Structure formats: C-alpha cells, structure tokens
Amino acid sequence: MNVDLLIVNGYVLTMEDESNQLIENGAVAIIGQTIEAVGKSDDLRANYHAERIIDANNQLIMPGLIDSHIHTGLAILRGVAQDMSHWMQKGIWPFMKHVTKEERIKGSLVNILEGIKAGTTTFADYDTDMQDIVQHYVKIGARACVAEMVNEMPDDIDDLSVGELYPLDAKVGEQKLQKNVDLIERYHGAEDGRITCMLGPQGADMLSLNRMKQIADLAETYDTKLHMHVAQGDREIEQMEKRYDLRTIPFLEREGFLNERLIAVHLTEATKKETEKAAHSGASMICCPGSIGIIDGIVPPMYSFLQAGGTASLGSDQAPGNNSNNMFNEMKFAAIVNKVKYQDPAVFPAELALRAATIEAAKVLGIDHEVGSLEKGKKADIIVINFQEPSLSPVITKPTSNVIPNLVYSARGHEVETSIIDGKVVMEHRQIVTASEEQVVKDAQEAANGLAKRVSKKV
Amino acid sequence: MNVDLLIVNGYVLTMEDESNQLIENGAVAIIGQTIEAVGKSDDLRANYHAERIIDANNQLIMPGLIDSHIHTGLAILRGVAQDMSHWMQKGIWPFMKHVTKEERIKGSLVNILEGIKAGTTTFADYDTDMQDIVQHYVKIGARACVAEMVNEMPDDIDDLSVGELYPLDAKVGEQKLQKNVDLIERYHGAEDGRITCMLGPQGADMLSLNRMKQIADLAETYDTKLHMHVAQGDREIEQMEKRYDLRTIPFLEREGFLNERLIAVHLTEATKKETEKAAHSGASMICCPGSIGIIDGIVPPMYSFLQAGGTASLGSDQAPGNNSNNMFNEMKFAAIVNKVKYQDPAVFPAELALRAATIEAAKVLGIDHEVGSLEKGKKADIIVINFQEPSLSPVITKPTSNVIPNLVYSARGHEVETSIIDGKVVMEHRQIVTASEEQVVKDAQEAANGLAKRVSKKV
C-alpha cells in the first residue's frame, strides 16, 4: 500500500493506553493528515511503500505535546514581571498598559515558534484579538484550540487591587463576546479541522451573571467548551464573595456552570472539597505549575483533582511570569512541586506528567478523537526526539525502562528534531519550515525596543 | 596590547558583586588562562589587539556555571530509579550492585559532556575511583574539584534499610581513604591548577569517629575542605542516634567538624535550628533541589541557611533520580520549590539562583579567587549564550531587565554556544572540541546494554 510518509527505526511511544507501552524498532505510516499504521518497523516497511521515509534511529517517535493553556499575546513581555508579590498590579501592568496590539501580535509569533521548537503541536491559545493571533497558526501550520478572552472590565480601569468590587461594563462585554462569536463563526473547523474554537470567559468575577449565562447558551449552540480561569487567586475569591456572597466553585455550581463543558483553569484557590466537587461534576482542569509556582508560590490542586477522578492537563500560561512556554518544563515542574507538596517521591510519576501533556490534554480540550496518541485514524501530530543527546543517554529498556523518566525529567525540548502537524513537516533538523525564525525574533525585538522606550519615558 | 582572545559585542554579566550589573555591548579580553579585561566592547577593541575575536552579538557572556555536587560515576544508571519510595534500596541498588568499574567510568564521561553542553565549566565530582574519573577532566579540559568518596561500609553489604546499625569495616575505610590521599597527592593543583582535590567522607554515619578525625587532620595537612553528605535522610539520622545518641549536626559540632572546612551537602533532615547552627559555624552548604525533590519529595533548607548568613550553592547530584545534570534545571528548581515551600513568589529570586551556580559556588568550593565571576586576574571560565532563541526573546533592559529572569527560568542549557575553560575553547557552535560526543555516547550505550542484560538475568 502507498503512504505519504513513513517514520522508521525509532522507539515509538503511542500513549494509546495507560500501559504507556514502548515499541522498540517501531514505525508510523501516514497518509495525508492521518496516521495509517503504527507498529514494528519491519512490518510497516514490508506493508507500505512510502513517498518519503524519515529514519528515526536512536530517536523517539511520540505524539506532539499539547499546551492546554497559553496566552501568546503576552510573550512580548517575557520576563519583565518576576519574583514579586502583586504580579498583576506591580509587575506586569506598568508594561501592559503601554503595549499596542501590533506588539502583542508580533510577540505571539515568537511564542508559537518557541512552543514548536520544544515539541508543542497543539496550542490552546486564550487571549485578546484572537482573530489576529489565529492567523499565525494558519500560516505556521500548528494545531490550535483558540478562544477570545471575554470580560466586562472597563477599558480605563487602572487598578486591579484586592478590595473594591470592580465595575462591570455591559458594552465591553457585548463587544468582546461578539469577537468570540465571530472567531467561532469564522475559524471553528478551519484549515480542514486544524483550528477549533471555544468560548473564553476570563473569569466569573469579571463578567455579569447574565453574560455568563449567555456564554453558556452559546456553548450549547456551538457545541463547544468554556475555557475559563476558575478560582485564580484571592482577588477573584474576594470579588465573588462581595458580588454573590459565594466562593467561585459554589457559585458556578449553583448557576449550572459546573459540568462537562467547563474547562477550569488554575483552581489555585480551590479548597480540597471544591476541587473534588469540580472533578465530580465532569468539568476538566488545566494546571499551570510553572506559572502558578513562580507567580503565586502555590501548587495547584491537580493531584487532588485527579484523585477525585477528574480529567486534567498541563499548560504553560504566559511568558511574563512563567516565563517560558515549554511543556517539558511544565511536566518537570508538575512532578517536582507535587512531590514536595506531599513529601512523597512516588506522587506524580513521570508517566502521569507525560499523559497530562498528551492524551489527557486532548481529552480536556475535546480533541482526543483526533490527537493525543498515535493510533490508526488519528491526525498525524508527531514529534521525533533525539535520544543521543548525552543528557538522554544511555537508553535502557530492560528490566526497567528509563525512556519516560528521561523524557520528563531530563529532556528540555531542544532534543525535538522533527515536528509533524496534521501530516505536514513543520520543523525538520530543528528548522521551522513555515517561517523565518530569525525574522520573527528580529521583528519582536524591534517591537520590544519601541515598547521599552515608551515605558521608560513614563516610569 | 596583545591578547589571545577577545569576545565582543555581547551582553556581559560579570557576577562581580551583588548588583548583578549587565554591561551592554560588552567584551572580555583573555591572555592565556586569564581574564585581562572586562568592559565596553568599544574600549576593549581600541585597547587590545587580539589573535582571535569571537563576535557575541545578541549573545550573553557570563561566568561558566559551577556544579557543586555531582556523582558522575552513576550516570550509566540514568533514569532507572524514579518516582518511588526507598530509592536507594529498591530503585538503584538492584542495578548498582551489578555495575562494573568500566561501565561507571564510561557513563561518567557522558555526564561530563552533558554538563559542558549545558554551560557547566566546573564540576565538583564526588565519587568512587576518582583517579580514573579525573582522567576525563584532564582530557576534556573542564575544571574539576574532585574527591574520592570514603566510607567504611563492608563490600558485601546488601541492604541499607533503616533499622539495624551498619557494621563498619576499618580495613575498607583505610583503603578508601588511602585512595583519597593518593588522589590529592597526585592531582591537587594538576593541569596548571585546573584540577583541585578535597577529602570526601561519604557521611558521618558511614565512618567511625576515628576515621572522621583522621580525615579532618588530613584536611589541615593538605589545607583543603571536606565534601560530605550531612543529614541526608532519616536513614542517616537513625544511624547517628543509634551510634552516638546524637543527630548528625550536634554530633559534628561536639566533635569539632562544624567549621569552615566543612561543605555540608543536602541537610535534607536538618531542623531549622541545626541549619542555622551549621550556617553560623562557617561551614557551607550545597543544595541539590532536583535530586532531593524528585528522590525524597523534600525541599532542602537552603533558604534558611542563607537567611542565617551562610554560604550555599547548587549541585545536580546523580543522574539516576534527578535525572539530568544541568545547572539551568537546578536554578529553576531551587527557585520554584522554595517559592512553593514558603508560598511566597518573592522568595528565592532568579538572581539568587544564578549566584548560587556561579560566584557563591566558587566560594563554597574555595576557588572564588580563581573563578565564579568575570574579573581581571581570574581564570577565563566563560560561557556565551545565544539570546536569539525564541524562548529568550525579546531582550528588554530598560526600565527593568529581563535578562537574568529569562536566563534562570527560560534558558535550558542548549543555548550555550561556546564554552571557554581556563582560557581554552572547549565547546564551539555546540560542538565539544576535545572529545567525540558521538563515540562517547555510543560507548556508554554499549556498556549500558551489557549491564541491562546482566541485570535482566538476575531479576
């Protein structure tokens, strides 16, 4: 049988089921966007004639990583708000209030290239002006589940400090929600299904109840999920208590938002009971261990959420604060911060972290019928990782395998040699083929120089 | 004036003092092994005529990283003992008892290349058969502070479980200490000072008091330090209480070991009071956040040690368990595990982590007169880091600088383009010039294959 692409001679990690089985001397056959077969190299070479063959000798073939929560529009501010309390107000705001849309869009593309170079093939991007940002995904060829961030915060608000109840502006909410609807209308299913869209309410504290209900109705209409920050910080909880006399999760439960459509991001301030309630409701969770660890000094309750039977995945959040967008980082961080939180080295093993960046992430985003594992019929989102780096050597597969532990605790992203998304080679020999990395970095640097000058004048 | 090497046009981070000042468009001039000048590129180009010029445009020039605690002899077992309780007994021992000396030595070289490729220029290697391992450093050209690990554990011991008091074998102790003395006699100050040696008692629980005293006397004789595990795990504390009716630190204090000569590694089980006592004594501390986080689920008390005025640095420990030996990892881990331990994002800022892998590490190892910062007269141990990686872009220096946060939280090691040790280029364009990386990895893989076969037969 003819196929377009055959990747052979590698270790294949399918992530198909919880055994996390490793096929030694394995191969993957691809026709168009789709995986045709996964198996032993000898078998696939015998059964398929390929247009093109990639030799993955001493390399690992695995599903592309999924970054479940990223705000690429903030990448232009990478690293300007670090190691401080009141990150939002004192760290990032003095810069953010001066950033132009053009600067944000330029930074966004750097962020996407950064992700691809570290093995990310799907980006759940959640930001402002998503109709502009989504063009990057169209052009670069990455998979994206995008949402326009919708809030009703007045444009001229200058202070988000804990204390007073924020004013909400219905007109702002209407406009932003319209942008989210336009995004869905135009891009949901675009690029032959590579782009999908969600609703993006920013948080229950930043929207009126009516607007929230309108968003929930739209999720039914479009049969999509709500990507939403939930219980993120004492600021949100205080707002919710002032506004509704309820903490976030009881509020969401009372109003009927706590269900399979909800993707609850962070849960930083959720109690154990609230976390369990969310997990039992069918809502899923996204945990950003690097961002929340560095910005808040908190380990989000992902482990409790999983113990309660919930589905959860990992995200890299934003560059200022985390401050890289690399799922290898997030896997490492998730494991180590949970081990030290519970003072138990057996908690959060490498396999769990890896699943949370692949197949479990696909489930959270509602795209597990398409990606997250290497199986016949799924979309060909595949990364090939060089295991001959000293830091990944030697490879031992018997009597125990060191492949997954080394992948999670030692790989850093630059070992990803090849990235295939939707059947197309997007990166090869670490060169992005769909953009000039040099130009993208240069454009962002020029934008940042202009921004820094403007901010310096105001400080 | 003529110099051998001029590195120009980069951002220079000298780490000279606590201001962590960044020289934009900076340069470094080198004569032989030594830094001749550090300053503005224009000034140095005007004042020096160089044999060779390295253009570091868009790159960062900084002191090479110092790994204060590494057991390279364990690298052959990378990743075989993960995510479990009783790491030593159940994880690594089933493999370790079958490893040959030749296999350990082959693994060691992979570990050293891994470190260099991630910016490490000085390795404080603490292991068995150091006279063999040290040959790698001689050949590769890296700086090393080595110690032979000395204990009195009987060779046929098969179980290190908590409970019974270990038997101690004076003959074993004598032999191992002799190896340490031979190492010092032969290599202390070797390679024109690039190799230095220390005493390496493995732990107060694994040596008789007499042997400990003998080692302390030798430290005076050779005017060197003691690199020693201190309060590492409940196993050690239980042994000490059974043997001396004292916990480790009070024991060390009573017997006169708690002083400037002691480098106390881990302090995992040290109480706050004991930690402060150690810091006040003038002893220094090495913290291995990745290893202890992953193996034990514990955040070592480095922050308390520093708060008490002590000098402390970071180490990567061993590959099985951590399981990479990359100081960028350790810097990130140190910051994040301390932030979540104290639930305070301002704790353990990026600058602190960076100092603990450069100048403070040099102080701990007693080589700060030679390395750890870029200053006229110091040895030229310098790394040049590509800041045009998307993950490090954009660079912002005003009104706040994102260079150190991005270096600590986002760089991963592969951005190190050039490594200069003792004035010699050891890595250039990411190619190690003093060894064949491919061959080193291949040799270690073959050794690991043999080992895995033998272990599989026994399991």
Side-chain angles (χ1 to χ4, degrees):
Chain A
M1 187 178 177
N2 286 328
V3 295
D4 295 314
L5 180 60
L6 204 51
I7 313 171
V8 297
N9 296 336
Y11 300 96
V12 177
L13 203 54
T14 66
M15 303 308 290
E16 192 178 342
D17 56 47
E18 297 200 1
S19 71
N20 301 312
Q21 194 210 343
L22 187 74
I23 305 173
E24 291 190 55
N25 204 3
V28 180
I30 298 162
I31 299 177
Q33 299 162 278
T34 309
I35 295 173
E36 174 61 26
V38 181
K40 280 281 187 186
S41 230
D42 289 347
D43 295 342
L44 267 66
R45 293 193 92 144
N47 293 335
Y48 298 99
H49 174 78
E51 273 297 302
R52 188 178 165 198
I53 293 179
I54 293 178
D55 187 348
N57 188 27
N58 292 314
Q59 299 187 319
L60 177 75
I61 304 163
M62 63 171 283
L65 300 175
I66 297 172
D67 190 337
S68 299
H69 181 71
I70 183 169
H71 306 284
T72 65
L74 289 174
I76 194 78
L77 300 175
R78 183 192 304 281
V80 300
Q82 302 285 159
D83 303 323
M84 54 176 69
S85 303
H86 309 294
W87 172 83
M88 176 71 90
Q89 302 96 304
K90 295 190 182 168
I92 196 161
W93 191 243
F95 277 87
M96 197 146 82
K97 63 186 177 187
H98 297 289
V99 178
T100 66
K101 177 174 153 181
E102 197 195 345
E103 286 159 357
R104 278 191 286 110
I105 304 300
K106 282 186 176 163
S108 160
L109 188 50
V110 173
N111 221 186
I112 295 166
L113 298 196
E114 172 188 7
I116 292 172
K117 290 189 81 185
T120 301
T121 53
T122 297
F123 298 77
D125 203 341
Y126 172 60
D127 217 316
T128 306
D129 297 315
M130 192 48 69
Q131 284 219 38
D132 297 277
I133 291 176
V134 78
Q135 305 299 333
H136 293 326
Y137 295 107
V138 170
K139 180 173 169 260
I140 296 296
R143 191 171 303 280
C145 297
V146 297
E148 178 78 23
M149 210 149 61
V150 180
N151 63 45
E152 303 196 281
M153 305 292 281
D155 290 332
D156 56 356
I157 200 164
D158 202 51
D159 185 17
L160 287 179
S161 52
V162 177
E164 277 174 65
L165 205 55
Y166 316 144
L168 295 180
D169 184 332
K171 213 166 160 188
V172 169
E174 199 181 316
Q175 286 167 354
K176 293 192 173 177
L177 182 53
Q178 189 57 50
K179 286 175 78 175
N180 201 159
V181 168
D182 291 346
L183 178 78
I184 295 173
E185 288 279 352
R186 186 151 167 212
Y187 286 100
H188 191 51
E191 298 293 306
D192 221 353
R194 183 161 54 79
I195 314 286
T196 51
C197 302
M198 286 189 274
L199 274 305
Q202 188 170 353
D205 59 320
M206 297 188 176
L207 290 156
S208 65
L209 178 54
N210 277 343
R211 189 73 62 201
M212 291 274 294
K213 287 183 171 167
Q214 195 187 351
I215 291 172
D217 288 346
L218 286 165
E220 295 299 326
T221 306
Y222 290 111
D223 189 18
T224 185
K225 291 196 173 195
L226 274 70
H227 190 150
M228 182 164 79
H229 297 126
V230 175
Q232 68 157 336
D234 48 6
R235 181 184 47 71
E236 176 187 316
I237 300 293
E238 194 180 343
Q239 290 285 319
M240 293 303 289
E241 285 180 329
K242 282 204 167 139
R243 206 178 288 278
Y244 303 107
D245 209 19
L246 273 178
R247 292 168 56 88
T248 308
I249 289 174
F251 166 81
L252 293 175
E253 185 187 28
R254 188 186 71 188
E255 300 297 340
F257 295 105
L258 216 55
N259 58 47
E260 293 78 5
R261 294 221 180 267
L262 179 67
I263 303 176
V265 183
H266 297 325
L267 297 183
T268 325
E269 294 289 323
T271 62
K272 191 153 193 282
K273 268 201 172 157
E274 289 171 350
T275 302
E276 288 165 352
K277 193 188 286 288
H280 293 152
S281 77
S284 48
M285 173 188 181
I286 296 171
C287 172
C288 302
S291 167
I292 300 302
I294 295 175
I295 294 176
D296 297 314
I298 292 175
V299 182
M302 178 172 173
Y303 189 70
S304 300
F305 195 90
L306 290 170
Q307 291 293 101
T311 303
S313 65
L314 297 171
S316 70
D317 217 350
Q318 75 286 300
N322 187 10
N323 54 10
S324 69
N325 297 86
N326 177 318
M327 295 309 294
F328 286 95
N329 252 1
E330 299 311 318
M331 290 193 286
K332 261 190 263 304
F333 281 156
I336 198 168
V337 296
N338 277 291
K339 288 176 198 299
V340 302
K341 179 177 182 176
Y342 296 100
Q343 305 219 341
D344 180 356
V347 156
F348 226 105
E351 289 79 3
L352 188 60
L354 184 59
R355 293 184 61 83
T358 54
I359 184 64
E360 299 301 319
K363 289 179 192 168
V364 167
L365 300 176
I367 55 172
D368 53 310
H369 58 294
E370 297 214 307
V371 294
S373 60
L374 304 184
E375 294 177 62
K376 181 178 163 68
K378 280 201 177 183
K379 295 292 165 66
D381 283 13
I382 300 172
I383 54 177
V384 183
I385 299 178
N386 176 18
F387 258 68
Q388 289 220 289
E389 269 286 321
S391 51
L392 297 176
S393 300
V395 177
I396 293 174
T397 57
K398 282 184 204 91
T400 187
S401 169
N402 66 4
V403 171
I404 293 179
N406 286 348
L407 190 65
V408 170
Y409 299 124
S410 190
R412 290 161 272 153
H414 71 281
E415 307 86 349
V416 179
E417 282 288 318
T418 305
S419 177
I420 294 162
I421 305 176
D422 219 27
K424 289 201 181 68
V425 175
V426 169
M427 180 174 74
E428 196 169 12
H429 306 308
R430 294 204 57 64
Q431 295 296 312
I432 306 264
V433 296
T434 47
S436 159
E437 181 183 324
E438 197 185 335
Q439 191 62 45
V440 169
V441 167
K442 195 166 168 248
D443 290 348
Q445 184 62 56
E446 281 172 13
N449 292 346
L451 170 64
K453 243 183 220 167
R454 293 200 312 280
V455 179
S456 296
K457 275 185 199 158
K458 301 286 168 77
V459 171
Chain B
M1 185 177 177
N2 286 329
V3 296
D4 295 313
L5 179 59
L6 205 50
I7 313 172
V8 298
N9 295 336
Y11 300 96
V12 177
L13 203 54
T14 66
M15 303 308 291
E16 193 179 341
D17 57 46
E18 297 200 2
S19 73
N20 301 314
Q21 194 208 342
L22 187 74
I23 305 173
E24 291 190 56
N25 204 3
V28 180
I30 298 162
I31 299 177
Q33 298 162 279
T34 310
I35 295 172
E36 174 61 27
V38 181
K40 280 281 189 188
S41 229
D42 289 348
D43 296 343
L44 267 65
R45 293 192 92 142
N47 293 335
Y48 299 99
H49 173 78
E51 271 299 302
R52 188 180 165 196
I53 294 181
I54 293 177
D55 187 347
N57 189 26
N58 292 314
Q59 300 187 317
L60 178 75
I61 304 163
M62 64 170 285
L65 300 175
I66 297 172
D67 190 337
S68 298
H69 181 71
I70 183 169
H71 306 283
T72 64
L74 289 173
I76 194 77
L77 299 176
R78 183 192 305 280
V80 300
Q82 303 283 160
D83 302 324
M84 54 176 69
S85 303
H86 310 294
W87 173 82
M88 175 72 90
Q89 302 96 304
K90 295 188 183 169
I92 196 161
W93 192 243
F95 276 88
M96 197 147 81
K97 62 185 174 187
H98 298 289
V99 179
T100 67
K101 176 174 155 183
E102 197 194 346
E103 285 159 358
R104 278 192 285 109
I105 305 301
K106 282 187 177 164
S108 159
L109 188 50
V110 173
N111 220 186
I112 295 166
L113 297 196
E114 172 187 5
I116 292 172
K117 290 190 80 183
T120 301
T121 53
T122 297
F123 298 76
D125 203 340
Y126 172 58
D127 217 316
T128 307
D129 297 315
M130 191 49 70
Q131 282 217 42
D132 296 277
I133 291 176
V134 78
Q135 305 300 333
H136 293 325
Y137 294 108
V138 170
K139 178 173 171 259
I140 296 295
R143 191 172 303 280
C145 298
V146 297
E148 177 78 23
M149 209 149 63
V150 180
N151 64 45
E152 303 195 281
M153 305 291 281
D155 290 332
D156 56 356
I157 200 164
D158 203 54
D159 184 19
L160 288 178
S161 52
V162 176
E164 280 174 63
L165 205 54
Y166 316 144
L168 295 180
D169 184 333
K171 211 165 160 190
V172 169
E174 201 182 314
Q175 285 166 353
K176 293 192 175 178
L177 182 53
Q178 189 56 49
K179 286 174 78 175
N180 201 159
V181 168
D182 291 346
L183 178 78
I184 296 174
E185 288 281 352
R186 183 148 170 216
Y187 287 100
H188 191 50
E191 298 294 306
D192 222 355
R194 183 162 55 77
I195 313 287
T196 51
C197 302
M198 285 189 275
L199 273 305
Q202 188 169 352
D205 59 321
M206 296 187 178
L207 290 156
S208 65
L209 177 54
N210 277 344
R211 190 74 62 200
M212 292 275 294
K213 287 184 171 166
Q214 195 187 354
I215 292 172
D217 287 346
L218 286 165
E220 295 299 324
T221 306
Y222 290 111
D223 189 18
T224 184
K225 290 195 173 194
L226 274 69
H227 190 150
M228 180 163 80
H229 297 127
V230 175
Q232 67 158 339
D234 47 6
R235 183 184 47 71
E236 177 187 317
I237 300 294
E238 194 183 341
Q239 291 284 318
M240 294 304 289
E241 286 180 328
K242 283 204 167 139
R243 206 179 287 278
Y244 303 106
D245 208 20
L246 274 177
R247 291 168 59 86
T248 309
I249 290 175
F251 166 81
L252 293 175
E253 186 187 28
R254 187 185 72 186
E255 301 296 340
F257 296 105
L258 216 57
N259 57 47
E260 292 78 4
R261 294 221 180 267
L262 179 68
I263 303 176
V265 183
H266 297 326
L267 297 183
T268 325
E269 293 290 322
T271 63
K272 191 153 193 284
K273 269 201 170 157
E274 289 171 349
T275 302
E276 288 165 354
K277 192 187 287 287
H280 294 152
S281 77
S284 48
M285 174 187 180
I286 296 171
C287 172
C288 302
S291 168
I292 301 300
I294 295 176
I295 294 176
D296 297 314
I298 292 175
V299 182
M302 178 172 173
Y303 189 70
S304 299
F305 194 91
L306 291 170
Q307 291 294 99
T311 303
S313 65
L314 297 172
S316 70
D317 217 351
Q318 75 286 302
N322 187 12
N323 54 9
S324 70
N325 296 86
N326 177 317
M327 295 309 294
F328 286 95
N329 252 1
E330 299 312 318
M331 290 193 286
K332 262 190 262 303
F333 281 157
I336 198 167
V337 297
N338 277 289
K339 287 176 198 298
V340 302
K341 178 177 182 176
Y342 295 101
Q343 304 218 341
D344 179 356
V347 156
F348 225 104
E351 289 79 4
L352 188 59
L354 184 59
R355 293 184 61 81
T358 54
I359 184 64
E360 299 301 319
K363 289 180 192 166
V364 166
L365 299 177
I367 54 172
D368 54 309
H369 57 293
E370 296 215 306
V371 294
S373 61
L374 304 184
E375 295 177 62
K376 181 178 162 70
K378 279 202 179 182
K379 295 293 165 63
D381 284 12
I382 300 172
I383 55 177
V384 183
I385 299 178
N386 177 19
F387 258 66
Q388 289 220 288
E389 270 287 320
S391 50
L392 297 175
S393 300
V395 177
I396 294 174
T397 57
K398 281 183 205 89
T400 187
S401 169
N402 66 4
V403 171
I404 293 179
N406 287 348
L407 190 65
V408 170
Y409 298 125
S410 191
R412 289 161 272 154
H414 71 281
E415 306 87 349
V416 179
E417 282 287 321
T418 304
S419 176
I420 294 162
I421 306 176
D422 219 29
K424 289 202 181 66
V425 175
V426 169
M427 180 174 72
E428 194 167 15
H429 306 308
R430 294 205 56 64
Q431 295 296 313
I432 307 264
V433 296
T434 47
S436 158
E437 181 183 324
E438 199 185 332
Q439 191 62 46
V440 169
V441 167
K442 196 168 165 244
D443 290 348
Q445 185 61 56
E446 281 172 11
N449 292 347
L451 169 63
K453 241 183 223 167
R454 291 201 311 280
V455 178
S456 296
K457 275 185 199 156
K458 301 283 167 80
V459 171

